[in-house]
């Protein structure tokens, strides 16, 4: 358990980090053995960060953030963003630690109207969210032909398979390349917040690209620690458009098949 305690939430430099044992947690935060209802025992506001010791990205990310706090520095992060809903929690979580360039590069999204809708939604979110370090929005080139060239021969592969892995790499490699060119300290992606995305594969690709482009990859599994749940709450708070398919034509077709199957089953039940 890691506790980030502070008199205010507005400055990383005002924060300290303390790791607690179970007994210390009961004494300083909440004695859940005697008090079944939440009762905070501290005298200062605190962010309670619970993480699984067996989760590799958690074990790697937490020490990085702790070291940033100790050194009282604000490194630069080049963050690939897939959409506003997925970005919401990630920006909230990382903005106290980094100066973020939010890079919207998603040539997989189609049709163009959908792409433009998601672009504007992310810009709106960045403008409206009260973040510690305000991110800078950067739109990548929209070249859907690059995605279709990458997907050749993989058109019939099910969602979540090799075509998706190559799409991960297409987008992460562009982020890593530009992060290296811009002299950033880290690059990362919001994709790991989705329950439908393979976080282990995304981190594996990130580590490979780190060696190629010589810019550090920030490991993550943002869906953990209720990250995905928090993203849905923020989406509701900021009234964000939440798409019902990943973005590519193949995921859209899969979503349509699922919808038709669901309607068919419903009709069968009603009969």
């Amino acid at each position: 358990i890691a506790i980030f305690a502070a008199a205010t939430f507005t400055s990383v430099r005002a924060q300290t980090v303390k790791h607690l044992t179970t007994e210390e947690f009961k004494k300083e935060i909440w004695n859940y053995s005697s008090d079944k209802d939440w009762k905070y025992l501290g005298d200062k506001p605190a962010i309670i960060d619970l993480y699984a010791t067996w989760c590799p990205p958690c074990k790697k990310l937490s020490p990085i953030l702790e070291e940033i706090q100790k050194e009282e520095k604000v490194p630069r992060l080049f963050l690939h963003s897939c959409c506003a809903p997925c970005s919401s929690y990630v920006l909230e979580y990382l903005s106290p630690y980094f100066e973020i360039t939010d890079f919207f590069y998603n040539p997989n999204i189609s049709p163009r109207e959908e792409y433009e809708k998601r672009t504007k939604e992310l810009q709106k979110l960045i403008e409206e969210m009260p973040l510690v370090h305000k991110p800078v929005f950067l739109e990548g080139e929209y070249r859907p032909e690059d995605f279709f060239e990458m997907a050749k021969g993989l058109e019939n592969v099910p969602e979540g398979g090799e075509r998706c892995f190559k799409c991960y790499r297409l987008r992460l490699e562009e982020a890593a390349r530009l992060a290296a060119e811009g002299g950033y300290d880290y690059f990362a992606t919001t994709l790991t917040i989705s329950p439908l995305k393979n976080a282990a594969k995304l981190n594996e690709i990130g580590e490979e690209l780190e060696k190629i482009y010589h810019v550090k990859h920030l490991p993550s599994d943002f869906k953990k620690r209720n990250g995905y749940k928090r993203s849905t709450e923020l989406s509701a708070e900021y009234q964000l458009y939440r798409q019902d398919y990943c973005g590519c034509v193949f995921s859209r077709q899969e979503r349509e098949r699922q919808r038709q199957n669901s309607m068919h089953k419903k009709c069968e039940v009603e009969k």
Side-chain angles (χ1 to χ4, degrees):
I1 297 172
I3 304 300
F4 298 80
T8 70
F9 290 99
T10 57
S11 173
V12 172
R13 293 173 182 174
Q15 297 179 352
T16 57
V17 179
K18 185 175 182 180
H19 296 272
L20 301 181
T21 64
T22 300
E23 289 307 312
E24 288 171 334
F25 182 86
K26 289 182 178 180
K27 182 178 179 181
E28 298 182 28
I29 305 299
W30 171 36
N31 190 338
Y32 51 82
S33 296
S34 59
D35 296 315
K36 299 305 179 184
D37 294 327
W38 167 256
K39 183 180 179 181
Y40 179 49
L41 301 175
D43 59 358
K44 295 178 181 178
I47 298 175
I48 303 169
D49 190 7
L50 306 175
Y51 60 88
T53 57
W54 44 262
C55 171
C58 296
K59 288 195 292 185
K60 291 180 180 179
L61 179 57
S62 293
I64 293 172
L65 300 183
E66 183 176 342
E67 188 63 28
I68 289 171
Q69 287 186 319
K70 284 181 180 178
E71 295 183 5
E72 296 188 347
K73 63 182 182 180
V74 185
R76 297 170 68 222
L77 171 66
F78 199 80
L79 177 66
H80 165 260
S81 285
C82 55
C83 63
C86 288
S87 300
S88 60
Y89 166 73
V90 178
L91 291 175
E92 180 184 68
Y93 180 54
L94 295 180
S95 69
Y97 305 98
F98 298 96
E99 290 182 357
I100 300 173
T101 293
D102 203 322
F103 180 50
F104 188 76
Y105 173 67
N106 300 285
N108 56 308
I109 297 175
S110 65
R112 175 176 282 276
E113 292 77 16
E114 178 73 17
Y115 171 83
E116 291 175 349
K117 189 172 186 177
R118 297 191 194 190
T119 306
K120 291 176 182 176
E121 204 71 359
L122 180 57
Q123 290 175 303
K124 184 190 83 166
L125 175 70
I126 292 172
E127 289 172 3
E128 294 180 359
M129 277 192 84
L131 299 167
V132 177
H133 297 106
K134 201 68 172 174
V136 174
F137 174 80
L138 177 64
E139 184 179 0
E141 283 192 83
Y142 179 57
R143 292 173 49 87
E145 60 269 26
D146 291 345
F147 170 76
F148 287 111
E149 178 64 28
M150 176 226 77
K152 277 185 179 178
L154 301 171
E155 291 87 349
N156 296 319
V157 173
E159 281 293 288
E162 186 62 28
R163 185 183 63 245
C164 291
F165 295 165
K166 293 190 73 172
C167 184
Y168 296 169
R169 188 176 185 102
L170 174 68
R171 291 181 281 173
L172 263 68
E173 182 148 20
E174 182 69 356
R177 183 182 70 82
L178 292 177
E181 286 183 4
Y184 285 78
D185 299 291
Y186 294 90
F187 76 97
T189 180
T190 62
L191 285 167
T192 65
I193 200 170
S194 171
L196 301 178
K197 298 294 184 291
N198 189 322
K201 189 66 178 179
L202 284 161
N203 282 297
E204 177 187 313
I205 293 169
E207 290 174 5
E208 291 174 2
L209 295 172
E210 176 179 322
K211 296 174 183 176
I212 295 170
Y213 291 95
H214 307 292
V215 58
K216 288 181 283 188
H217 170 250
L218 192 70
S220 69
D221 193 348
F222 292 121
K223 73 177 72 64
K224 302 288 187 179
R225 314 179 198 178
N226 283 325
Y228 177 72
K229 180 175 181 291
R230 177 59 178 157
S231 75
T232 63
E233 294 170 350
L234 288 167
S235 295
E237 180 180 344
Y238 290 96
Q239 299 181 324
L240 298 178
Y241 163 64
R242 291 184 64 85
Q243 62 276 0
D244 64 355
Y245 70 103
C246 172
C248 74
V249 63
F250 307 109
S251 64
R252 189 177 188 181
Q253 290 169 352
E254 176 64 23
R255 184 71 184 101
E256 286 300 322
R257 283 193 292 268
Q258 292 173 352
R259 186 180 289 112
Q260 289 174 7
N261 289 339
S262 177
M263 291 177 62
H264 179 72
K265 289 179 181 178
K266 182 179 179 181
C267 290
E268 289 295 321
V269 171
E270 290 176 349
K271 288 179 181 179

